[in-house]
Amino acid sequence: QKLDEIYCDVQAMNTCCHDMTERLKKSKESTADLIEKTSIIQNERNHIKLQSSLANVFLEKYQLKPAEVKALRETKQSVMTEEFFNSLGRAKQIHQDCKVLLRSKQQTAGLEIMESMALCQESGYEKLYRWTQEECRSMTGDMPDISGALCRAIEALQDRQILFKYALDELGTARRTAV
């Protein structure tokens, strides 16, 4: 009797195990598609994250920050700041870095970025020349003092030969007047 009871219990357990196994198979089959879709979506998400980080690195390397653009284009500035000179140098560097893009498959992007940087540089150099001109014209004392910013401005203007020549002419005129 006890053996029969144990046998019935084992049979019930066996039936229960088979039932559970069948349910697990069905669940596995129904979730396999969901798991596959989930892994595809995760791969797409990882790919998009990678593209996003690459785009951010690209923008960091090939685009001026808003503060840098503002420093180059802002006209109400009586003193040339370190930020201005750094922005001008960064625009020049980005312009030169675009030459790499022109040699790759990104020629359109390279040309557009170069054009944008050229406009920023021209705006900056024009502003720098006007400021240099005003500084030179304001040197009216017997011993005109050439500030560090003026030296740096004239040094930066060497990239634009005509503006550089005019700035040197202004400086020469100021010194000649002082003498």
Side-chain angles (χ1 to χ4, degrees):
Q1 253 182 343
K2 290 283 186 187
L3 280 175
D4 283 341
E5 287 176 17
I6 292 174
Y7 179 75
C8 285
D9 287 343
V10 168
Q11 283 287 20
M13 287 175 73
N14 190 24
T15 305
C16 190
C17 283
H18 280 294
D19 186 38
M20 292 289 242
T21 304
E22 287 300 315
R23 280 200 239 157
L24 281 174
K25 283 181 185 177
K26 286 179 184 177
S27 293
K28 198 173 188 180
E29 289 171 3
S30 66
T31 58
D33 188 42
L34 185 60
I35 290 171
E36 184 180 335
K37 286 179 182 178
T38 303
S39 67
I40 289 170
I41 290 172
Q42 283 177 336
N43 288 338
E44 286 177 4
R45 189 185 86 204
N46 291 339
H47 183 71
I48 290 170
K49 276 185 177 179
L50 177 64
Q51 285 181 331
S52 174
S53 65
L54 287 174
N56 288 336
V57 168
F58 182 84
L59 290 176
E60 188 76 25
K61 182 170 175 72
Y62 291 104
Q63 193 173 45
L64 292 174
K65 294 178 176 86
E68 292 171 326
V69 172
K70 183 180 178 186
L72 290 175
R73 293 194 174 157
E74 189 176 274
T75 57
K76 299 174 184 174
Q77 198 168 9
S78 61
V79 178
M80 285 291 125
T81 62
E82 187 71 26
E83 182 182 1
F84 174 82
F85 289 112
N86 291 341
S87 298
L88 191 61
R90 181 142 159 66
K92 181 180 175 183
Q93 183 62 46
I94 291 171
H95 191 271
Q96 293 201 352
D97 289 345
C98 284
K99 292 176 184 176
V100 173
L101 291 177
L102 293 177
R103 286 184 239 135
S104 70
K105 294 180 181 179
Q106 303 300 324
Q107 291 152 345
T108 305
L111 286 172
E112 287 177 9
I113 294 169
M114 281 181 91
E115 183 179 327
S116 172
M117 288 306 111
L119 291 173
C120 286
Q121 281 181 295
E122 287 309 312
S123 172
Y125 282 121
E126 188 65 34
K127 177 182 171 183
L128 188 60
Y129 171 69
R130 278 186 264 125
W131 179 84
T132 303
Q133 191 176 35
E134 288 174 22
E135 282 291 304
C136 289
R137 289 180 181 169
S138 70
M139 287 195 258
T140 57
D142 290 341
M143 296 287 291
D145 186 32
I146 298 176
S147 66
L150 183 58
C151 290
R152 191 152 182 211
I154 290 174
E155 179 184 341
L157 285 172
Q158 287 181 9
D159 291 338
R160 298 295 188 265
Q161 288 298 316
I162 292 175
L163 295 178
F164 178 64
K165 180 188 175 304
Y166 290 151
L168 287 180
D169 289 345
E170 288 289 335
L171 183 61
T173 302
R175 294 194 74 160
R176 195 173 316 119
T177 303
V179 169

